[in-house]
Amino acid sequence: MDGLITFFASHYALRAETVLKRGGLHAKLIAGPRDLSPNCGVALRFEYADRERAVGLLDAQRVQIDAVHKFVPRSDGWRSAEVAEWRR
Amino acid sequence: MNVRVIYFDNAATSWPKPPEVLAAIGECLAEAGGNPGRAGHRLSIAAARVVEETRELLAEFFNAGDPSRIVFTQNATHALNVALYGLLRPGDHVVTTSIEHNSVMRPLRDLETRGVELAVISCQPDGTLPLEEVRLTLRSRTRLLVTTHASNVLGTVLPIEELAAAAHAVGALCLVDASQTAGALPIDIERTGVDLLAFTGHKALLGPTGTGGLFIRSGLDVAPLMRGGTGSDSDRETQPGFHPDVHESGTLNVAGIAGLAAGVRFLRDVGVDAVAAHERRLVIEFRERAAQIPGLTLYGPEDAASRCGVVSFNLASAGSSEVAQILDDSFGIMARAGLHCASSAHRTAGTFPAGTVRFAFGWFNTSDEIATAMAALGELASWAAQKVAWTV
């Protein structure tokens, strides 16, 4: 899973996991990378290719997200990708 | 204890709890022992799951819409304080009823000393609220109408849907104290249109003490009562403004919340309608038998449809606390005597300062228990009558 969604509050991360799984998408809660979010809690890994569907499902359920990120293996870690596009 | 306990104090806190509630608390402490929303390890996530699943469960249970608008508190008093101190500012006009519990009345009286203007609508002695008087008292600068859903002294249920509509007609908000009704009577937040609703977890919702919450309508900003760690926005020294974190500083009572979820699931399976019907039947049985006991005075509305499972009474010439003590010592019946943290309600009923004896029925009470209690009250009434003869 090369996609990562960060949230303002863990409340939304937990709800997002349920929403994505109910929508048939892969989702896994992980410790939120500190460089991406000031949230001490969790972020949600998912398949970046599913991002439009994922964001659509979350929007429909009014689950607020911080940003969608993509993992770029050639670099040294998570990078904010298309943050402007996906930031809510 | 060799006398079987008959527990009629469910308005103070419900007992017994369903076994599932005890199991859920133990399981949570054993299996979900992390701090919710603070870390990404599995025990923290497990704890966060407990909290968020319960929040969703409550949002569905009350038909509240967006779960993030339900924030957890220690109890209903805490929730009411969040709402009242978070909303009201000097110069605001507030309307409330004369049958409120001190959890509403004391914050309001304090806010009155800080420049909030308070109007208290006198209810009739049986607790009935004159709606027309409420409409006449509400005005364009009324910020808030605060009302209990049901009196903890008289059992009177107030029409929260009409009250919310009356508040909205002048542009005011409506805050409901559902301490006595959440879990005992069906509550549909969307349909009733209330803006804020405070509930406790340890009464009819059958959860443990130390749990409760506040519903705040979407789009309504309420200043937090407490500020502190939330696990979010940690790069800032100011409180986050988003729900639910804005009102959830400090570690939540996760094990208690797990127990609350088990209580709500139990109620969902049983059906709140069934609970309400059961309590109503017990109240009718109580009142029918009480009417046969000489010297017993009943308070509250006669119509069973306009009340919850709370009844208040006195025996002629016997003090309320004396009666409650004998009921416990000699009959194993747990009742609550006195003023029930609601002196204004007792003034309304004409039972101040002596108070009343209160029976508050719950899902686990039975008709047999009512029969046993009424036989005991019959004996007590005879004793009380003799006591008059001795003292004359």
Side-chain angles (χ1 to χ4, degrees):
Chain A
M1 287 185 273
D2 60 344
L4 185 78
I5 305 174
T6 51
F7 302 86
F8 298 109
S10 296
H11 163 73
Y12 290 108
L14 272 287
R15 273 175 67 194
E17 184 199 27
T18 309
V19 168
L20 294 198
K21 282 187 170 170
R22 277 183 195 156
L25 300 181
H26 294 293
K28 180 176 167 36
L29 289 167
I30 63 156
R34 175 63 196 88
D35 50 334
L36 292 182
S37 166
N39 191 333
C40 314
V42 287
L44 192 65
R45 287 186 74 162
F46 77 118
E47 299 293 353
Y48 190 72
D50 295 330
R51 62 192 181 282
E52 290 200 21
R53 176 123 192 281
V55 171
L57 287 170
L58 296 177
D59 263 357
Q61 295 299 314
R62 291 192 291 180
V63 178
Q64 294 174 30
I65 68 172
D66 173 20
V68 175
H69 310 269
K70 187 179 191 306
F71 188 68
V72 184
R74 281 168 303 176
S75 75
D76 55 356
W78 291 96
R79 283 294 156 93
S80 299
E82 301 173 46
V83 166
E85 181 185 346
W86 294 107
R87 191 176 285 274
R88 287 292 184 274
Chain B
M1 221 179 295
N2 49 17
V3 184
R4 187 168 62 106
V5 165
I6 295 180
Y7 188 81
F8 283 166
D9 199 13
N10 290 285
T13 193
S14 59
W15 189 87
K17 309 294 182 187
E20 297 93 313
V21 171
L22 279 67
I25 294 169
E27 197 179 306
C28 176
L29 289 169
E31 310 287 338
N35 192 326
R38 304 302 200 266
H41 60 73
R42 70 189 76 170
L43 288 187
S44 172
I45 290 176
R49 228 183 271 285
V50 166
V51 171
E52 299 310 331
E53 282 175 6
T54 308
R55 203 188 302 279
E56 284 198 36
L57 190 64
L58 287 164
E60 276 172 37
F61 188 78
F62 292 128
N63 192 27
D66 181 355
S68 75
R69 305 308 295 190
I70 289 180
V71 296
F72 288 109
T73 60
Q74 298 163 27
N75 45 45
T77 298
H78 179 193
L80 289 161
N81 273 265
V82 170
L84 295 170
Y85 284 92
L87 282 173
L88 298 175
R89 297 292 173 264
D92 283 344
H93 181 248
V94 184
V95 178
T96 194
T97 83
S98 70
I99 57 168
E100 299 304 317
H101 188 271
N102 276 343
S103 56
V104 165
M105 219 48 115
R106 285 181 173 170
L108 284 179
R109 289 299 182 198
D110 176 62
L111 283 159
E112 201 177 19
T113 68
R114 301 167 189 233
V116 167
E117 192 186 335
L118 177 63
V120 181
I121 310 286
S122 294
C123 293
Q124 286 157 23
D126 71 355
T128 309
L129 179 66
L131 274 178
E132 205 39 51
E133 180 120 7
V134 175
R135 292 196 183 97
L136 290 171
T137 310
L138 288 162
R139 57 190 73 160
S140 60
R141 68 183 180 83
T142 305
R143 174 80 170 130
L144 188 65
L145 169 63
V146 191
T147 181
T148 186
H149 191 187
S151 164
N152 70 310
V153 173
L154 300 164
T156 322
V157 176
L158 300 189
I160 54 173
E161 200 170 340
E162 283 93 329
L163 289 167
H168 295 162
V170 297
L173 300 166
C174 180
L175 163 63
V176 170
D177 170 10
S179 296
Q180 291 304 328
T181 54
L185 293 177
I187 294 177
D188 184 324
I189 285 178
E190 285 299 322
R191 189 175 58 76
T192 55
V194 302
D195 302 288
L196 303 106
L197 183 131
F199 61 92
T200 184
H202 69 94
K203 293 182 179 173
L205 290 177
L206 304 175
T209 48
T211 59
L214 176 68
F215 161 79
I216 303 172
R217 182 166 295 290
S218 286
L220 179 58
D221 285 332
V222 176
L225 188 67
M226 298 201 303
R227 293 162 185 80
T230 58
S232 51
D233 257 5
S234 299
D235 55 343
R236 295 186 185 182
E237 294 185 3
T238 53
Q239 186 76 355
F242 47 80
H243 262 241
D245 296 25
V246 57
H247 295 296
E248 289 183 353
S249 293
T251 303
L252 290 171
N253 176 8
V254 184
I257 288 169
L260 172 59
V264 172
R265 287 193 182 102
F266 178 90
L267 287 169
R268 198 179 54 182
D269 294 344
V270 166
V272 176
D273 285 319
V275 174
H278 177 68
E279 291 186 9
R280 195 174 302 130
R281 198 162 48 242
L282 296 179
V283 167
I284 290 169
E285 287 172 15
F286 168 85
R287 288 185 68 92
E288 281 173 1
R289 289 170 185 267
Q292 312 299 317
I293 297 175
L296 189 153
T297 307
L298 280 172
Y299 306 98
E302 285 180 23
D303 177 14
S306 58
R307 58 182 311 147
C308 65
V310 172
V311 294
S312 256
F313 61 92
N314 271 320
L315 288 181
S317 73
S320 62
S321 46
E322 192 176 22
V323 171
Q325 190 65 55
I326 297 169
L327 284 172
D328 180 3
D329 290 348
S330 303
F331 301 97
I333 297 167
M334 311 295 128
R336 180 164 166 194
L339 294 175
H340 311 99
C341 293
S343 61
S344 178
H346 278 283
R347 286 180 205 276
T348 302
T351 50
F352 184 88
T356 57
V357 185
R358 181 183 74 181
F359 283 176
F361 308 126
W363 173 249
F364 294 108
N365 290 128
T366 63
S367 293
D368 280 353
E369 290 179 332
I370 303 278
T372 304
M374 299 321 280
L377 283 182
E379 277 185 50
L380 263 172
S382 309
W383 163 80
Q386 280 183 318
K387 193 179 158 203
V388 176
W390 294 336
T391 51
V392 166

